[in-house]
Amino acid sequence: MWILGIDTSCDDTGVGLVQDGRVVVNRVASQTLLHGRYGGVVPELASREHVQVIDGLVEEVLREAGLGLEALDLVAATRGPGLIGALLVGFTYAKGLAFALRKPFIAVHHLEGHIYAALAEHPEVRPPFLALVASGGHTHLFEVPAWGAYRLLGATLDDAAGEAFDKAARLLGLGYPGGPEIERLAVQGDPGRVPLSVPLSDQEGFSFSFSGLKTAVARALEKGYAPADIAARFQEVVVEHIAQVVGRAARKTGHTTLLVTGGVAQNRALRARLEGMGLRLCFPPRGLATDNGAMIALAAWHTLDRRSEGDLYLPAAPYLPLATS
Ligand code: KG4
Ligand code: ZN
């Protein structure tokens, strides 16, 4: 079964092709350069760029797989959450394509896409498990007690983890996206030189908070600390904060498997810190951590049997909770 998956929830046009649960082609048209000079995503520019590239990208993906449109068995696209103008481009395109081909259409939740991206590398994993989605737009910790059931344990109270990397990078005069830039600079710095403290370290719950760190980075710069030392300490503190929250969640729930997904899952310091916690870890394979279309096709494939028909009539949804309880 061939599934075409499309994601245009934010600033990247993602088109992927999955055959029987295996990723065959996964292409992302990145808008990094377009938004880079503004230090963040400009929604209207993102929507326009999606419109410009989506048709050509679908053609490219099919060509790479040596398939014609008629070979597709199903079309899936991100319904939400995301920027409404951006979402509408991929969601409406995918609906139109499915309708014209007389093939089924499946609406996918963006965060469910991220979760199935991590499972792509670990097909043997079964619930219950914890799933942390940490990206530019989300920092959500879910408990997944059974397939299709999502209990939100905690989320960010302010900025998302990736957003914190992006904002701190901007303050440090680095490029966008900030995560990889900070990771590179942090290697050259000494975290012990800069006094930044771990947010919410005395809480009993599972919330995240990153916006105070941004202010702390600005203050550290004013005080004259070296950018590399600030980057090193900032990354260490973000990683420690995440580790403390997931550690508490693992102890509280008793779950021993943790999925980490979204762009921030690529961070090597985070991986190294989590690896020392005695949990069974699942990260997405290369290219599937950040937004992409293959993860949407994967989510569609894995959730096919618990779907009802009628997704063609669903509207795109900028705010769309995943939690089922
Ligand atoms: O999942 P994603 O493509 O976008 C959203 O759905 O939001 O993630 C992009 C985010 C950006 O904020 C970027 O700075 C962050 O992921 N990111 C990283 C790393 N690579 C990407 N953060 C920390 N370390 C990295 N290596
Ligand atoms: Zn995402």
Side-chain angles (χ1 to χ4, degrees):
M1 178 177 215
W2 288 95
I3 303 181
L4 186 76
I6 296 180
D7 181 85
T8 60
S9 58
C10 190
D11 61 338
D12 288 324
T13 318
V15 178
L17 197 57
V18 162
Q19 183 188 31
D20 297 335
R22 189 178 59 90
V23 179
V24 178
V25 185
N26 190 30
R27 288 289 199 99
V28 176
S30 167
Q31 300 183 6
T32 300
L33 288 176
L34 182 66
H35 302 286
R37 78 183 98 136
Y38 304 103
V41 178
V42 184
E44 179 61 17
L45 291 183
S47 313
R48 291 183 196 190
E49 189 66 13
H50 289 311
V51 172
Q52 292 285 327
V53 306
I54 192 161
D55 205 29
L57 197 60
V58 169
E59 278 183 11
E60 227 177 280
V61 164
L62 289 171
R63 201 178 316 120
E64 203 175 319
L67 286 188
L69 273 175
E70 68 295 338
L72 296 177
D73 298 297
L74 194 152
V75 184
T78 301
R79 180 186 175 205
L83 302 169
I84 186 62
L87 282 169
L88 275 170
V89 177
F91 197 59
T92 314
Y93 180 97
K95 280 182 175 182
L97 185 60
F99 188 74
L101 294 171
R102 297 173 201 275
K103 295 292 162 66
F105 170 74
I106 282 192
V108 174
H109 193 289
H110 183 74
L111 298 189
E112 202 166 28
H114 274 301
I115 289 171
Y116 278 99
L119 289 167
E121 189 89 338
H122 304 272
E124 72 291 349
V125 166
R126 301 278 175 277
F129 52 78
L130 297 172
L132 173 71
V133 186
S135 68
H138 312 276
T139 309
H140 284 59
L141 180 62
F142 293 100
E143 179 185 20
V144 183
W147 291 127
Y150 300 96
R151 191 173 300 145
L152 183 64
L153 294 178
T156 181
L157 303 172
D158 38 60
D159 293 347
E163 188 180 2
F165 273 99
D166 295 336
K167 288 180 174 172
R170 197 170 182 203
L171 288 167
L172 292 167
L174 304 171
Y176 172 86
E181 299 274 330
I182 291 209
E183 190 169 359
R184 241 185 318 264
L185 185 61
V187 179
Q188 303 163 29
D190 175 359
R193 291 198 184 129
V194 184
L196 287 189
S197 47
V198 179
L200 304 180
S201 58
D202 52 359
Q203 68 165 332
E204 308 226 320
F206 311 107
S207 297
F208 299 89
S209 171
F210 298 101
S211 70
L213 281 178
K214 176 186 54 191
T215 320
V217 164
R219 209 159 297 140
L221 268 172
E222 280 163 21
K223 286 190 181 150
Y225 289 104
D229 293 341
I230 299 175
R233 180 59 185 160
F234 168 82
Q235 177 174 270
E236 187 177 73
V237 165
V238 169
V239 164
E240 189 54 33
H241 179 29
I242 292 174
Q244 286 181 3
V245 175
V246 299
R248 200 161 34 243
R251 284 192 298 279
K252 177 91 186 276
T253 61
H255 302 324
T256 52
T257 300
L258 172 69
L259 263 70
V260 188
T261 185
V264 181
Q266 301 194 122
N267 188 278
R268 274 163 298 186
L270 178 65
R271 287 190 184 213
R273 175 68 178 82
L274 295 177
E275 265 156 17
M277 292 177 64
L279 295 167
R280 174 184 191 183
L281 295 176
C282 301
F283 291 98
R286 241 191 121 60
L288 288 193
T290 48
D291 290 352
N292 67 88
M295 72 183 196
I296 301 306
L298 283 172
W301 163 256
H302 285 284
T303 56
L304 257 183
D305 52 355
R306 44 185 157 89
R307 296 276 179 171
S308 49
E309 290 187 8
D311 282 11
L312 212 46
Y313 304 100
L314 290 173
Y319 305 103
L320 188 63
L322 178 61
T324 51
S325 66

